[in-house]
Amino acid sequence: MNTLKVFKSLVKDSLDVITHGSKKYHLWMGVLTFIMLFGMYCYSLQIDQGLSVTGMTDRVSWGLYISNFTFLVGVAAAAVMLVMPTYILKDIDFKQAVLIGEGLAVAALIMCLAFVIADMGGPSVLWHMIPGIGVFNFPNSMLTWDVIALNGYLFINITIPMYILFRHYQGKEAKHNIYVPGAFISVFWAVGIHLVTAFLYQGLQARPFWNNALLGPRFLASAFAAGPALIILVLAIIRAYGGFKIEDKTIQKIALVVTVAAQINLIMLVSELFKEFYAPTHHSESAYYLFFGLHGKDALLPWIWTAIPLNVLATLLLTFHKLRNNFKVLYFACFILFVAIWIEKGFGLIVPGFIPGPYGKIAEYTPTFVEIGVTLGIWAMGAFVFTILAKTAIKIENGELRYKK
């Protein structure tokens, strides 16, 4: 069988699948396209006028873009919680969801790279990060490690599902000796991408709010709570509208992963709060600003005091077996947990690290219309990419899309 011929047929059939669907599907894709166009308009303003149109300053130089980047690295890494039991431990209950999880990882990684480009000001400066052309500064720079980790993980999460779907498209089973080694690598790589991202902040001694030994482990705990929580919500939508059968036990097992990770994340949060407030020093000022305000400045208070109760409530709901097995309660708990961790790893982590400044100056940060527009556009792009990947994968896995010899 001519591999190139089969691949061309797969591309052609996939294009046919993603351009046809129900009215709800076309409405969904239309809304996402409109939001992406709006995001492109906002981005054009940023390209034209520079980063001055954002709320970022020389005092708070990372804002909404890097907050979302940090959060989405965790969402991408969470795919490993489905890859490991499916490909390595051979748990068939996870098999139905693993390709969906990997598709979500691909979409999340594309969004991560888009947020980095947005934060750098524009694509014209990206050549600085290309080895051999720009100043890559490897291995001394943690940022170069992050570039390698993110692109490597993206490559793994594209190639493994692509190989499996390509074999299934031909009506054949994927060969374990080809994709299982890649699955093993992806397990360690997933942990690596989030630890490297944590080390970016943790290694900055002048920012005591980030210079915390718990930062890396807490990044992993929050990632393995929020990522699978999002996967559960996506699976719920696919079960309702996607025409793909997903067993209750699959969602229940993923919910158990979310529960344990959420509990560990909450314990680490309590540990951090104890360290900051039991015997506070001048290094605790960022935490005081975040949780109680400082010198009359309290822009982040509504955010963090929304996130903490949501986090506690979600963890409590998930902890009780009877409540967790009620799917309505489970979906609600997963949604509020996802929102809580998005706030904690965004406004609750990135922004307060800059406040107060080295000389005690407090310069608060509020995202502008342009930043919000670009952010919504990138999230819409991620949803658009995931919808395309999921729709094609579901058709192949259901046996509706096969190579015609």
PDB file of all heavy atoms in Angstrom, residues 29 91 153 159 185 269 295 346 364 369 395:
ATOM      1  N   MET A  29     -18.459  26.611  15.125  1.00  0.00           N
ATOM      2  CA  MET A  29     -17.250  26.990  14.384  1.00  0.00           C
ATOM      3  C   MET A  29     -17.326  28.448  13.919  1.00  0.00           C
ATOM      4  O   MET A  29     -16.305  29.151  13.864  1.00  0.00           O
ATOM      5  CB  MET A  29     -17.047  26.057  13.192  1.00  0.00           C
ATOM      6  CG  MET A  29     -16.837  24.593  13.570  1.00  0.00           C
ATOM      7  SD  MET A  29     -15.397  24.337  14.612  1.00  0.00           S
ATOM      8  CE  MET A  29     -14.115  24.135  13.377  1.00  0.00           C
ATOM      9  N   ASP A  91      -4.857  -0.055  30.667  1.00  0.00           N
ATOM     10  CA  ASP A  91      -6.182   0.063  31.277  1.00  0.00           C
ATOM     11  C   ASP A  91      -7.171   0.451  30.181  1.00  0.00           C
ATOM     12  O   ASP A  91      -7.170   1.576  29.685  1.00  0.00           O
ATOM     13  CB  ASP A  91      -6.166   1.122  32.377  1.00  0.00           C
ATOM     14  CG  ASP A  91      -7.450   1.140  33.197  1.00  0.00           C
ATOM     15  OD1 ASP A  91      -8.527   0.854  32.623  1.00  0.00           O
ATOM     16  OD2 ASP A  91      -7.383   1.447  34.401  1.00  0.00           O
ATOM     17  N   TYR A 153       7.384  18.233  23.327  1.00  0.00           N
ATOM     18  CA  TYR A 153       6.131  17.618  23.786  1.00  0.00           C
ATOM     19  C   TYR A 153       5.033  17.752  22.731  1.00  0.00           C
ATOM     20  O   TYR A 153       4.215  16.842  22.555  1.00  0.00           O
ATOM     21  CB  TYR A 153       5.701  18.269  25.096  1.00  0.00           C
ATOM     22  CG  TYR A 153       4.599  17.544  25.829  1.00  0.00           C
ATOM     23  CD1 TYR A 153       4.764  16.238  26.265  1.00  0.00           C
ATOM     24  CD2 TYR A 153       3.388  18.170  26.099  1.00  0.00           C
ATOM     25  CE1 TYR A 153       3.763  15.563  26.945  1.00  0.00           C
ATOM     26  CE2 TYR A 153       2.379  17.521  26.786  1.00  0.00           C
ATOM     27  CZ  TYR A 153       2.565  16.223  27.202  1.00  0.00           C
ATOM     28  OH  TYR A 153       1.562  15.560  27.863  1.00  0.00           O
ATOM     29  N   THR A 159       2.641  13.139  16.863  1.00  0.00           N
ATOM     30  CA  THR A 159       3.062  11.944  16.128  1.00  0.00           C
ATOM     31  C   THR A 159       2.409  10.655  16.631  1.00  0.00           C
ATOM     32  O   THR A 159       2.007   9.822  15.817  1.00  0.00           O
ATOM     33  CB  THR A 159       4.592  11.804  16.182  1.00  0.00           C
ATOM     34  OG1 THR A 159       5.035  11.882  17.543  1.00  0.00           O
ATOM     35  CG2 THR A 159       5.273  12.886  15.369  1.00  0.00           C
ATOM     36  N   ILE A 185       8.268   8.034  26.820  1.00  0.00           N
ATOM     37  CA  ILE A 185       8.988   9.313  26.787  1.00  0.00           C
ATOM     38  C   ILE A 185       8.050  10.468  27.146  1.00  0.00           C
ATOM     39  O   ILE A 185       8.412  11.383  27.883  1.00  0.00           O
ATOM     40  CB  ILE A 185       9.616   9.539  25.394  1.00  0.00           C
ATOM     41  CG1 ILE A 185      10.717   8.510  25.137  1.00  0.00           C
ATOM     42  CG2 ILE A 185      10.182  10.963  25.277  1.00  0.00           C
ATOM     43  CD1 ILE A 185      11.236   8.512  23.717  1.00  0.00           C
ATOM     44  N   LEU A 269      -1.250  24.409  49.102  1.00  0.00           N
ATOM     45  CA  LEU A 269      -1.681  25.796  49.283  1.00  0.00           C
ATOM     46  C   LEU A 269      -1.655  26.172  50.759  1.00  0.00           C
ATOM     47  O   LEU A 269      -1.156  27.241  51.129  1.00  0.00           O
ATOM     48  CB  LEU A 269      -3.091  25.989  48.709  1.00  0.00           C
ATOM     49  CG  LEU A 269      -3.757  27.343  48.988  1.00  0.00           C
ATOM     50  CD1 LEU A 269      -2.954  28.480  48.349  1.00  0.00           C
ATOM     51  CD2 LEU A 269      -5.197  27.355  48.485  1.00  0.00           C
ATOM     52  N   HIS A 295      -0.965  48.790  51.539  1.00  0.00           N
ATOM     53  CA  HIS A 295      -0.958  50.250  51.431  1.00  0.00           C
ATOM     54  C   HIS A 295      -2.129  50.775  50.586  1.00  0.00           C
ATOM     55  O   HIS A 295      -1.966  51.672  49.757  1.00  0.00           O
ATOM     56  CB  HIS A 295       0.363  50.739  50.846  1.00  0.00           C
ATOM     57  CG  HIS A 295       1.580  50.251  51.578  1.00  0.00           C
ATOM     58  ND1 HIS A 295       1.669  50.277  52.958  1.00  0.00           N
ATOM     59  CD2 HIS A 295       2.735  49.703  51.120  1.00  0.00           C
ATOM     60  CE1 HIS A 295       2.838  49.781  53.328  1.00  0.00           C
ATOM     61  NE2 HIS A 295       3.500  49.419  52.234  1.00  0.00           N
ATOM     62  N   GLY A 346      -2.748  32.210  37.439  1.00  0.00           N
ATOM     63  CA  GLY A 346      -2.638  33.402  36.623  1.00  0.00           C
ATOM     64  C   GLY A 346      -2.418  34.612  37.502  1.00  0.00           C
ATOM     65  O   GLY A 346      -1.300  34.923  37.917  1.00  0.00           O
ATOM     66  N   GLU A 364       0.133  48.578  40.280  1.00  0.00           N
ATOM     67  CA  GLU A 364      -0.834  47.502  40.024  1.00  0.00           C
ATOM     68  C   GLU A 364      -1.024  47.280  38.522  1.00  0.00           C
ATOM     69  O   GLU A 364      -0.741  48.156  37.698  1.00  0.00           O
ATOM     70  CB  GLU A 364      -2.166  47.826  40.699  1.00  0.00           C
ATOM     71  CG  GLU A 364      -2.054  47.854  42.217  1.00  0.00           C
ATOM     72  CD  GLU A 364      -3.406  47.851  42.904  1.00  0.00           C
ATOM     73  OE1 GLU A 364      -4.104  48.865  42.812  1.00  0.00           O
ATOM     74  OE2 GLU A 364      -3.752  46.832  43.506  1.00  0.00           O
ATOM     75  N   PHE A 369      -8.333  46.212  27.157  1.00  0.00           N
ATOM     76  CA  PHE A 369      -9.246  45.686  26.128  1.00  0.00           C
ATOM     77  C   PHE A 369      -8.478  44.882  25.080  1.00  0.00           C
ATOM     78  O   PHE A 369      -8.924  43.824  24.637  1.00  0.00           O
ATOM     79  CB  PHE A 369      -9.976  46.868  25.492  1.00  0.00           C
ATOM     80  CG  PHE A 369     -10.698  46.554  24.209  1.00  0.00           C
ATOM     81  CD1 PHE A 369     -11.946  45.972  24.231  1.00  0.00           C
ATOM     82  CD2 PHE A 369     -10.119  46.846  22.976  1.00  0.00           C
ATOM     83  CE1 PHE A 369     -12.610  45.685  23.048  1.00  0.00           C
ATOM     84  CE2 PHE A 369     -10.772  46.569  21.797  1.00  0.00           C
ATOM     85  CZ  PHE A 369     -12.029  45.984  21.831  1.00  0.00           C
ATOM     86  N   LYS A 395     -14.490  10.156  14.095  1.00  0.00           N
ATOM     87  CA  LYS A 395     -14.955   9.476  12.877  1.00  0.00           C
ATOM     88  C   LYS A 395     -14.107   8.245  12.578  1.00  0.00           C
ATOM     89  O   LYS A 395     -14.626   7.195  12.188  1.00  0.00           O
ATOM     90  CB  LYS A 395     -14.898  10.443  11.687  1.00  0.00           C
ATOM     91  CG  LYS A 395     -15.947  11.537  11.697  1.00  0.00           C
ATOM     92  CD  LYS A 395     -17.325  10.993  11.396  1.00  0.00           C
ATOM     93  CE  LYS A 395     -18.341  12.132  11.312  1.00  0.00           C
ATOM     94  NZ  LYS A 395     -19.715  11.626  11.058  1.00  0.00           N
TER      95      LYS A 395
END
